Amino acid sequence: MRLRTLSASLVFAALAAGQPSQPPLPKQERTRWFQDAKFGMFIHWGAYSVIGRHEWARHRFQIPQAAYDQYARRFNPVNYDPNLWVDIAANAGCKYMVITSKHHDGFSIWRSRASDYDMETTAYPGDPLKMLAQACRNKNMRLGFYHSIMDWHHQDYLPKRAWETAEPKRGGDNNRYVDFMKAQLNELLTGFGDLSMLWFDGEWEHTLRDLKRDDEIYDFILGLQPNCLINDRLYERAPGNRADFGTPEQHVPATGMKDPAGNPVLWESCVTINRDSWGYNKYETEFKTTRDLIRMLIEVVSKGGNLLLNVGPTPDGRIQDEFVTRLNAMGQWMKANGEAIYGTTASPFARLPFFGRATTKGSTLFLHVYEWPADGKLRVPGLKNLVHSAYLLADPRTKLETRRDGDDILVSTPAGGPDETASVVALRLDGAPVTVPYVIRPDRKGMLSLGAESCEIETKFEQRAKLENALGHVFLTNWSRSEDVPTWTFSAPKAGRYRVRMSYAAARGGQGTEFSVAAGKMALAGKVQNTGGDWVFKSFPLGEIQLAAGEQTLQVKANVRGSAAMTLEKITLTPLE
């Protein structure tokens, strides 16, 4: 399909027509809303939804352009109700929405003046983006647009797909393509009201970097909408770039995100509710549980980030029930506990002795407790503040007693927490939390116990392993990727040799999986044994390691072969006399 040709005069006239919609704010004020919002809805929707397998369908299945165009023409969202979409997001507790304006396939889901590969090729009479923008304005919901730098359709974009041509780097002109991209960005920035963000993607083919036009795009956007936020993919996620926030994908960074100088930066984890496809997948059968999603939101916020949770609507415009049910359940939890999410800052603790997370807001410390203490005592480590009051956030009338125990605060808890997913205990303090770093130390007999609750999962794209609790156990489960690595930081009181044991559960599927336990300069190797079931925990000796005195890092790595490696409960280190 031919792209519309814009004369230079028309392009520049269109660009000049867009004026800044509001006075520019200082950077800290520009990002204030983002820091407070914490939770947004991501929407992947376009021609690929008609195929119903994956947003990368044209590339994955090597569909010729002419054949793919037939699917684009069939994109006809007759059941699209943007007001309902905004209501679904708002009911879930989302404070902003981000929708794909154009994905990698190049199809624009608005009526674009710069391209004829857009909604005008379809039978649908409306403009989905304009309709959603109006609904968001009416309902006070912030809106942003995802926009792909990569474009498999545009005649000038390079490289072409290797399966379509013998010379992928010939036959185009990326400078002309970027001019086209700017024309489309102008439409988005001047035709849909105030945008909260532009969310770029497809940067890994180095289009803007190689042309040295990334700063040009950044300045162009802020010239039209000075308070529009821009994500780091405009700059290929390089550390220290000009973007407003980072975008880890399908995982939660173990310790949040920092700039090259080690200072915390704004970031947003984008994650799917289903297993991995972002666009509509009618064959999908695996979805994260509500419990997973709520705890993921808490974890992200406790590390200083936002969660952008994705839905992939059907080609006729419906958000499927599997998504809506989970979003509604998240909304119910947020109605009772949203104070511990919105407007909060990261946990003052690097780690905690109980299974849960923490967030703060001014002089209030929120403890998100996943495994309710069986002994009725919740230990808050190294909190130096005076505690004025303590209560359950979901039931503020339930006051809790506190007392000091050395550097720690002990909170007396009633039998049974109010929410098995996450019960929030609020502590009103005499000021912002002041803490002494909590370090895992040996018990009275010198044994170090590294429970799953005190590990962080070092990982990258497509995290699968997660922490869970059941039947009085806390464990790492769903360990189906070798790239997911549970990691502990602890302090060895003295140098010496330690006997290592591991407690885990495993069924036949994980039997024989090779793993290693590494700490200091030593590593122990082992193979998973069948314990009789995924929740049947047994302890196994692994050998001995030599540790230096002081802070140590221990990691367990598994050579996953397909099935989950094991359900890991804890590692113990016992000093040898």
Side-chain angles (χ1 to χ4, degrees), residues 197-427:
M197 67 174 66
L198 276 170
W199 210 104
F200 289 100
D201 194 21
E203 79 290 353
W204 53 86
E205 292 189 333
H206 315 304
T207 310
L208 298 178
R209 185 201 68 182
D210 289 352
L211 297 174
K212 295 182 170 53
R213 297 187 69 177
D214 41 15
D215 280 336
E216 174 190 339
I217 298 297
Y218 181 93
D219 293 333
F220 174 73
I221 293 166
L222 295 192
L224 294 173
Q225 291 211 29
N227 299 324
C228 179
L229 304 188
I230 302 169
N231 74 332
D232 64 342
R233 301 189 186 198
L234 180 65
Y235 292 99
E236 303 192 6
R237 304 178 230 191
N241 60 66
R242 297 174 70 190
D244 295 295
F245 62 97
T247 54
E249 183 171 335
Q250 293 287 44
H251 75 282
V252 181
T255 56
M257 289 188 69
K258 296 178 173 61
D259 66 16
N263 301 309
V265 297
L266 297 181
W267 58 278
E268 172 192 73
S269 277
C270 54
V271 178
T272 57
I273 294 175
N274 50 306
R275 182 171 175 85
D276 62 359
S277 66
W278 296 84
Y280 173 60
N281 188 343
K282 59 188 173 185
Y283 302 95
E284 183 67 85
T285 59
E286 185 176 335
F287 299 84
K288 296 177 179 69
T289 66
T290 300
R291 179 180 172 111
D292 291 337
L293 296 171
I294 291 172
R295 288 183 175 181
M296 181 181 293
L297 173 61
I298 294 168
E299 180 182 0
V300 166
V301 174
S302 77
K303 295 177 178 180
N306 286 22
L307 178 64
L308 189 62
L309 193 59
N310 184 75
V311 299
T314 62
D316 67 355
R318 293 171 293 111
I319 297 178
Q320 63 195 86
D321 291 343
E322 290 88 345
F323 296 149
V324 175
T325 299
R326 287 162 173 78
L327 291 167
N328 285 343
M330 293 183 76
Q332 288 301 309
W333 186 89
M334 290 289 279
K335 285 180 174 67
N337 300 288
E339 183 185 349
I341 298 294
Y342 303 125
T344 60
T345 54
S347 172
F349 308 102
R351 58 192 60 84
L352 290 164
F354 60 85
F355 185 33
R357 300 283 176 181
T359 56
T360 64
K361 184 184 293 181
S363 60
T364 303
L365 174 65
F366 299 104
L367 305 171
H368 304 255
V369 185
Y370 302 161
E371 177 77 4
W372 200 246
D375 62 359
K377 300 295 180 185
L378 182 67
R379 182 173 293 275
V380 188
L383 183 62
K384 306 298 290 183
N385 299 74
L386 174 67
V387 179
H388 288 312
S389 63
Y391 55 91
L392 296 176
L393 187 57
D395 183 11
R397 296 169 300 177
T398 304
K399 306 298 182 183
L400 306 177
E401 292 184 0
T402 64
R403 67 179 177 87
R404 181 160 294 283
D405 183 23
D407 284 337
D408 303 344
I409 294 292
L410 289 180
V411 183
S412 296
T413 56
D419 193 308
E420 69 171 9
T421 295
S423 299
V424 181
V425 173
L427 302 183

Side-chain angles (χ1 to χ4, degrees), residues 5 21 49 58 65 204 280 318 381 491 495 530 560 569 574:
T5 302
S21 60
S49 306
R58 175 162 131 67
Q65 186 66 62
W204 53 86
Y280 173 60
R318 293 171 293 111
S491 180
N530 184 355
V560 181
E569 182 179 32
T574 304

